[in-house]
Amino acid sequence: MLLLLLLPLAPLFLRPPGAGGAQTPNATSEGCQIIHPPWEGGIRYRGLTREQVKAINFLPVDYEIEYVCRGEREVVGPKVRKCLANGSWTDMDTPSRCERRAVYIGALFPMSGGWPGGQACQPAVEMALEDVNSRRDILPDYELKLIHHDSKCDPGQATKYLYELLYNDPIKIILMPGCSSVSTLVAEAARMWNLIVLSYGSSSPALSNRQRFPTFFRTHPSATLHNPTRVKLFEKWGWKKIATIQQTTEVFTSTLDDLEERVKEAGIEITFRQSFFSDPAVPVKNLKRQDARIIVGLFYETEARKVFCEVYKERLFGKKYVWFLIGWYADNWFKIYDPSINCTVDEMTEAVEGHITTEIVMLNPANTRSISNMTSQEFVEKLTKRLKRHPEETGGFQEAPLAYDAIWALALALNKTSGGGGRSGVRLEDFNYNNQTITDQIYRAMNSSSFEGVSGHVVFDASGSRMAWTLIEQLQGGSYKKIGYYDSTKDDLSWSKTDKWIGGSPPADQTLVIKTFRFLSQKLFISVSVLSSLGIVLAVVCLSFNIYNSHVRYIQNSQPNLNNLTAVGCSLALAAVFPLGLDGYHIGRSQFPFVCQARLWLLGLGFSLGYGSMFTKIWWVHTVFTKKEEKKEWRKTLEPWKLYATVGLLVGMDVLTLAIWQIVDPLHRTIETFAKEEPKEDIDVSILPQLEHCSSKKMNTWLGIFYGYKGLLLLLGIFLAYETKSVSTEKINDHRAVGMAIYNVAVLCLITAPVTMILSSQQDAAFAFASLAIVFSSYITLVVLFVPKMRRLITRGEWQSEAQDTMKTGSSTNNNEEEKSRLLEKENRELEKIIAEKEERVSELRHQLQSRQQLRSRRHPPTPPDPSGALPRGPPEPPDRLSCDGSRVHLLYK
């Protein structure tokens, strides 16, 4: 029976300490001297009790001893030694040691590429391994060892090295990738090997998906932790519109998707969203063209230099713009030489000035000692000594505390899994890629991690992501300055009030658009209003004159009631000038529909009364005096009610049309918006001109109907006036003046209507055309119709009524003479026509006679002239003209 005795050095032996057989004992005939066991180990003696071993000093020849180690340590060197005849033990030249069992970590450090974070994170990991392995209370029987490769932040390169880590010995108990793109690949594959993945530099929100990445943890918080901070800053500075530009990778796309949801909840709009794969030139130009002001940029450091080189070219920086960038770039990332861009350092420095970064708090701001017994400042000093370059030129320097704390999180989880601290656990050396039990225990231990690290308090949420504060920095004068912290779990923003702005204050999220209404020129409105008022006064004077002298025969023969309607119509049309000039400068929005209706009704009724009464006169003259002779009895009688009925019909059509228009599709206030105008001053303001209009939903249809039949009336009026220009009638003695007024009204209306529609966007020009057309047409109508009557009555003194006129001697005779004179004039014109025809016939006959005489003279010689000198007799000459003298007609001959 074998007796196993684990004999520590001090309690069992009083001999001088040896090196586990490295020191050769003296050989004696009794056998071999008992030797010391290795450090943290003991010796197993066969067939001897503890007391027997204590009582003897030598072991017999051929006796074998076996080295054993405490805990999970293992013997390195000869494990069994045998006593030789010469009194020595076998292989005494090779020492035996009890060393801790190695637990291997497979790591991928990006030493170059989009994010060269391995430059500082690898030294931080190595420093953490030294500190952990030196601790006796953490993994006392194990030693963490690192096997690493350079992934270059490239998933393709990482795939190659992942294959080597998995298929080459020794077995790795955990994988530690860096970049988000590499972590996505590693974490998705690790589940097939029952491996825990712990990342120190991955921020992609997609990695928080527990169903896709069930064994993934990270000491670097998710990039979505930046978004609550960004939203908080947007709200602080009152920004409601932002734009984004991102590199086309999963980490930035998922971050931006999360940001879009958060800003939507906060009532903030992402107006423009640009993306690029390698060349940001076009997206930056689009941001400039779309007038983006608050811009969130999501891209790696190398692409950031490309973006801001284009930003400089497009002048997308300065007091009008604010850029939000990721805070984990190197502090001098914009000064690093990059052959892929053609901007100088000074240009880059100018372009990035004033931008804001949101960065996870990666270094504990409190000067307290962490689990490694170091403060954050001591860690920075110790790490800086390990780096080969200045920290500002070293990629991943800011993330180095996260990498350091990642090793401590792993060590504490493995310590808990292996039973460190007196608890029973599993043997970590039993782990293999098929042992899910150990993986589950490591997962539970990792999930419950909670300790103070150099980066702050380390704890993981349900998705395996680190929970931390956010640091807000601003680039001021070429260096980053802390301006605040934000704790998203408590919605607590700590602000230092050290932010500085190029323009003195935070810029607006867009060009401040000032809406300004284009109001009618008040000088023009007052001038035209004065003319219109004088016109109304003139219309009232004319109307009063016509009513006062309605008993005068000359006035009676002009159909004074129709003239009165004309004066009233002109007054209404002139009154329409006032609502035409009213706009938002004078009235409120609620009053605008009433003004619109007033414009329409005053113009419509004014036109119908004024022009309709004149049209009725000229139409009656044309109807009566263009009839054939057999219907000339119509000329002797004129029934006024027919004239009034015609005017009533025109007015009724207008009233019906306007009423239907107002009920079905009433006019209301509409706004016409013009292109933005930039002020001359260098201010971030844009003027948006607007113009008020009276309009309805089917405005063009109603205008087509309204202008259609009124245009036909105008054209027909011109035609009738032309046809009756030579007609003379006593019943309507001013029809020539009416025709002249119709010409003027028609021409002005037919020109003004389309011109005002074309110039509707130019309020002054449109009002000037419309109002002056109304004023001039009204003035011309009133002057042409009424001023001659006033002049005649004043100069000739024809103020008598028809009764008084008939009492005077010869008054009726004069009237008869006038009638006869008109009849003789007509007969004279008919005779002139007949004479013209006769003259034409005589000319033809004379021409024929001359032709015959010439022909006869050729055939027969000419006869001698008559000695008496008598001329040959010929036909009498035709009459030359017709003259009218009173009631006698004379034919005059040449």
Side-chain angles (χ1 to χ4, degrees):
M1 179 178 182
L2 297 177
L3 176 63
L4 177 61
L5 296 176
L6 185 61
L7 303 176
L9 286 174
L12 292 179
F13 304 105
L14 299 176
R15 302 174 183 82
Q23 182 179 0
T24 304
N26 297 327
T28 64
S29 58
E30 298 178 1
C32 297
Q33 187 179 9
I34 294 178
I35 59 177
H36 300 293
W39 181 260
E40 294 291 342
I43 298 177
R44 180 181 295 162
Y45 295 92
R46 294 182 176 88
L48 297 175
T49 64
R50 182 184 299 268
E51 288 73 15
Q52 291 175 337
V53 172
K54 289 180 179 181
I56 62 176
N57 293 324
F58 294 91
L59 293 173
V61 177
D62 295 332
Y63 188 83
E64 292 183 352
I65 60 173
E66 180 182 2
Y67 293 129
V68 293
C69 295
R70 176 179 296 174
E72 303 299 330
R73 295 173 181 254
E74 58 184 356
V75 177
V76 177
K79 190 175 183 180
V80 177
R81 296 186 187 276
K82 183 178 181 181
C83 182
L84 299 177
N86 60 3
S88 65
W89 297 95
T90 56
D91 299 325
M92 290 301 294
D93 57 339
T94 304
S96 298
R97 301 184 306 274
C98 279
E99 295 185 355
R100 293 186 291 179
R101 295 183 182 274
V103 176
Y104 292 94
I105 303 170
L108 296 173
F109 294 106
M111 308 304 290
S112 58
W115 177 65
Q119 296 175 4
C121 290
Q122 180 179 339
V125 167
E126 293 171 348
M127 189 167 66
L129 290 174
E130 293 175 3
D131 293 342
V132 167
N133 289 332
S134 65
R135 292 280 291 265
R136 295 290 180 179
D137 57 336
I138 301 176
L139 295 175
D141 300 326
Y142 298 96
E143 181 180 7
L144 298 180
K145 292 188 177 182
L146 182 68
I147 300 176
H148 62 88
H149 298 283
D150 178 12
S151 68
K152 299 181 180 180
C153 207
D154 179 21
Q157 191 79 8
T159 302
K160 170 187 174 183
Y161 291 125
L162 177 63
Y163 181 88
E164 293 181 4
L165 290 173
L166 294 175
Y167 288 95
N168 293 339
D169 289 335
I171 293 176
K172 288 76 182 177
I173 200 169
I174 198 168
L175 298 177
M176 290 185 62
C179 297
S180 295
S181 57
V182 173
S183 295
T184 301
L185 168 72
V186 173
E188 204 161 19
R191 62 190 301 179
M192 308 302 298
W193 277 268
N194 293 313
L195 281 170
I196 299 294
V197 179
L198 177 60
S199 176
Y200 53 87
S202 301
S203 61
S204 173
L207 292 168
S208 298
N209 188 342
R210 267 284 174 249
Q211 294 181 348
R212 184 179 174 188
F213 310 107
T215 62
F216 180 79
F217 291 89
R218 54 181 164 184
T219 53
H220 193 300
S222 170
T224 56
L225 198 62
H226 295 262
N227 291 336
T229 307
R230 291 170 179 145
V231 173
K232 189 69 176 180
L233 294 178
F234 297 157
E235 293 176 339
K236 172 181 174 58
W237 289 315
W239 294 330
K240 294 296 182 182
K241 294 181 181 294
I242 64 171
T244 62
I245 178 172
Q246 63 155 116
Q247 185 180 354
T248 309
T249 59
E250 184 180 22
V251 54
F252 301 130
T253 300
S254 53
T255 302
L256 194 53
D257 291 340
D258 178 78
L259 177 62
E260 192 167 11
E261 294 179 2
R262 292 179 184 272
V263 297
K264 187 176 181 180
E265 294 175 358
I268 302 172
E269 178 186 4
I270 296 181
T271 54
F272 312 110
R273 183 169 175 172
Q274 299 290 324
S275 62
F276 66 93
F277 182 74
S278 59
D279 185 6
V282 174
V284 171
K285 289 181 180 179
N286 291 339
L287 291 175
K288 177 69 174 181
R289 184 170 58 253
Q290 298 295 340
D291 194 31
R293 298 303 180 90
I294 312 304
I295 308 170
V296 178
L298 301 175
F299 28 72
Y300 285 117
E301 180 179 321
T302 52
E303 272 61 37
R305 285 188 282 270
K306 297 179 183 178
V307 169
F308 275 88
C309 184
E310 298 298 328
V311 166
Y312 179 82
K313 296 175 183 177
E314 297 296 329
R315 311 303 295 178
L316 200 64
F317 63 92
K319 64 181 181 180
K320 297 181 180 180
Y321 306 93
V322 177
W323 282 83
F324 280 79
L325 301 182
I326 303 169
W328 37 255
Y329 301 157
D331 287 345
N332 67 335
W333 61 271
F334 51 91
K335 297 180 181 179
I336 297 175
Y337 171 74
D338 192 339
S340 64
I341 62 174
N342 56 357
C343 294
T344 65
V345 173
D346 292 338
E347 292 172 344
M348 292 290 290
T349 303
E350 183 181 1
V352 300
E353 179 64 23
H355 76 263
I356 305 293
T357 64
T358 53
E359 177 185 352
I360 307 302
V361 176
M362 301 178 186
L363 190 66
N364 191 354
N367 194 27
T368 58
R369 296 200 173 273
S370 64
I371 192 172
S372 62
N373 200 31
M374 276 195 306
T375 64
S376 56
Q377 293 303 318
E378 291 173 348
F379 166 79
V380 171
E381 294 172 0
K382 189 175 180 180
L383 177 64
T384 302
K385 294 179 182 179
R386 285 177 170 261
L387 299 178
K388 299 178 180 178
R389 295 186 295 179
H390 192 274
E392 291 186 356
E393 300 176 357
T394 305
F397 183 79
Q398 296 176 343
E399 290 78 13
L402 304 180
Y404 183 86
D405 285 346
I407 294 298
W408 278 95
L410 171 62
L412 293 175
L414 293 178
N415 186 60
K416 186 183 295 185
T417 302
S418 63
R423 295 182 298 272
S424 60
V426 298
R427 289 164 47 90
L428 297 181
E429 63 270 23
D430 293 337
F431 173 79
N432 56 61
Y433 299 143
N434 295 318
N435 194 331
Q436 188 174 354
T437 301
I438 297 179
T439 301
D440 292 341
Q441 293 193 36
I442 298 175
Y443 176 88
R444 287 191 293 270
M446 186 74 72
N447 203 35
S448 61
S449 297
S450 178
F451 64 93
E452 293 296 328
V454 294
S455 63
H457 188 68
V458 179
V459 63
F460 300 105
D461 60 16
S463 63
S465 298
R466 169 82 176 275
M467 299 173 63
W469 280 36
T470 307
L471 169 65
I472 306 165
E473 293 183 319
Q474 185 181 36
L475 189 69
Q476 300 176 1
S479 61
Y480 287 100
K481 304 295 183 182
K482 298 177 182 179
I483 60 176
Y485 290 93
Y486 181 65
D487 183 2
S488 59
T489 58
K490 300 178 181 179
D491 191 24
D492 180 24
L493 178 63
S494 300
W495 199 249
S496 61
K497 298 182 181 181
T498 56
D499 51 315
K500 295 182 180 180
W501 304 96
I502 299 176
S505 61
D509 58 356
Q510 58 182 333
T511 300
L512 181 59
V513 179
I514 300 178
K515 296 180 180 179
T516 58
F517 283 97
R518 291 180 175 177
F519 295 125
L520 181 65
S521 171
Q522 296 306 298
K523 294 182 180 179
L524 176 63
F525 177 58
I526 294 173
S527 301
V528 177
S529 298
V530 171
L531 291 176
S532 181
S533 300
L534 295 176
I536 293 174
V537 172
L538 177 61
V540 172
V541 171
C542 293
L543 180 62
S544 302
F545 165 81
N546 215 45
I547 295 175
Y548 180 78
N549 296 287
S550 60
H551 60 280
V552 178
R553 181 174 181 80
Y554 181 72
I555 299 299
Q556 290 178 348
N557 288 339
S558 66
Q559 295 299 319
N561 291 331
L562 292 181
N563 289 339
N564 293 341
L565 292 179
T566 301
V568 172
C570 290
S571 299
L572 293 177
L574 289 169
V577 171
F578 299 104
L580 275 176
L582 294 178
D583 50 23
Y585 184 82
H586 305 92
I587 59 175
R589 182 179 301 180
S590 60
Q591 299 169 316
F592 214 87
F594 300 103
V595 174
C596 294
Q597 298 297 339
R599 295 178 184 178
L600 188 62
W601 282 90
L602 288 174
L603 277 177
L605 295 179
F607 181 87
S608 298
L609 289 173
Y611 181 81
S613 57
M614 294 189 296
F615 176 82
T616 301
K617 282 186 179 183
I618 209 72
W619 172 79
W620 185 87
V621 172
H622 180 271
T623 302
V624 173
F625 284 89
T626 57
K627 296 293 181 180
K628 295 182 179 180
E629 289 295 326
E630 60 269 16
K631 297 183 179 180
K632 62 182 179 181
E633 293 297 327
W634 283 39
R635 306 177 190 178
K636 298 181 181 180
T637 60
L638 176 61
E639 299 177 354
W641 70 268
K642 293 183 179 179
L643 302 178
Y644 306 148
T646 304
V647 177
L649 177 62
L650 295 177
V651 174
M653 291 178 61
D654 265 1
V655 172
L656 180 63
T657 303
L658 294 177
I660 295 175
W661 187 351
Q662 185 173 0
I663 295 172
V664 176
D665 190 16
L667 291 174
H668 58 273
R669 176 178 179 266
T670 58
I671 302 298
E672 179 184 4
T673 302
F674 300 90
K676 296 179 181 178
E677 299 175 354
E678 299 295 333
K680 296 180 180 180
E681 297 81 7
D682 186 19
I683 56 177
D684 193 16
V685 173
S686 180
I687 299 174
L688 182 65
Q690 293 182 329
L691 184 61
E692 297 171 307
H693 290 289
C694 288
S695 183
S696 59
K697 294 180 180 178
K698 297 183 178 180
M699 186 70 174
N700 293 333
T701 302
W702 292 109
L703 288 180
I705 296 173
F706 207 66
Y707 286 166
Y709 82 84
K710 293 211 178 278
L712 292 176
L713 284 178
L714 291 172
L715 295 175
L716 183 57
I718 294 175
F719 171 75
L720 295 178
Y722 177 79
E723 287 290 312
T724 59
K725 68 180 185 299
S726 60
V727 174
S728 178
T729 175
E730 184 182 354
K731 299 297 183 182
I732 303 179
N733 57 17
D734 60 351
H735 75 280
R736 289 191 178 91
V738 170
M740 184 180 298
I742 287 177
Y743 286 144
N744 287 281
V745 172
V747 171
L748 286 173
C749 290
L750 292 175
I751 293 176
T752 304
V755 170
T756 52
M757 294 182 67
I758 295 173
L759 299 177
S760 61
S761 298
Q762 303 178 29
Q763 70 281 6
D764 290 344
F767 175 76
F769 265 92
S771 59
L772 292 179
I774 294 172
V775 170
F776 288 151
S777 61
S778 299
Y779 269 84
I780 292 172
T781 300
L782 293 172
V783 170
V784 169
L785 287 183
F786 294 97
V787 171
K789 296 180 177 62
M790 295 179 183
R791 181 174 177 273
R792 175 162 178 160
L793 267 62
I794 293 172
T795 58
R796 296 188 182 185
E798 298 180 2
W799 302 97
Q800 295 85 359
S801 64
E802 183 178 3
Q804 293 173 336
D805 193 33
T806 54
M807 291 176 64
K808 289 186 178 182
T809 305
S811 61
S812 60
T813 303
N814 291 336
N815 290 336
N816 292 333
E817 289 295 331
E818 289 181 0
E819 183 67 23
K820 290 178 181 179
S821 177
R822 284 192 290 271
L823 292 175
L824 288 174
E825 287 179 359
K826 182 178 181 180
E827 292 176 358
N828 192 12
R829 287 193 296 272
E830 292 177 354
L831 288 173
E832 286 179 350
K833 184 177 180 181
I834 294 172
I835 291 171
E837 293 177 355
K838 295 297 184 181
E839 286 180 346
E840 184 178 356
R841 180 58 179 165
V842 169
S843 297
E844 291 179 359
L845 293 175
R846 185 177 293 171
H847 180 70
Q848 292 177 2
L849 179 59
Q850 290 177 355
S851 300
R852 289 177 182 177
Q853 289 177 351
Q854 291 175 359
L855 182 60
R856 188 182 298 114
S857 64
R858 292 175 184 173
R859 293 179 180 177
H860 304 284
T863 57
D866 191 349
S868 62
L871 294 175
R873 299 181 63 183
E877 293 186 2
D880 183 47
R881 59 190 176 90
L882 181 68
S883 65
C884 177
D885 183 12
S887 60
R888 298 181 300 277
V889 179
H890 303 280
L891 292 177
L892 302 180
Y893 295 92
K894 292 181 180 178

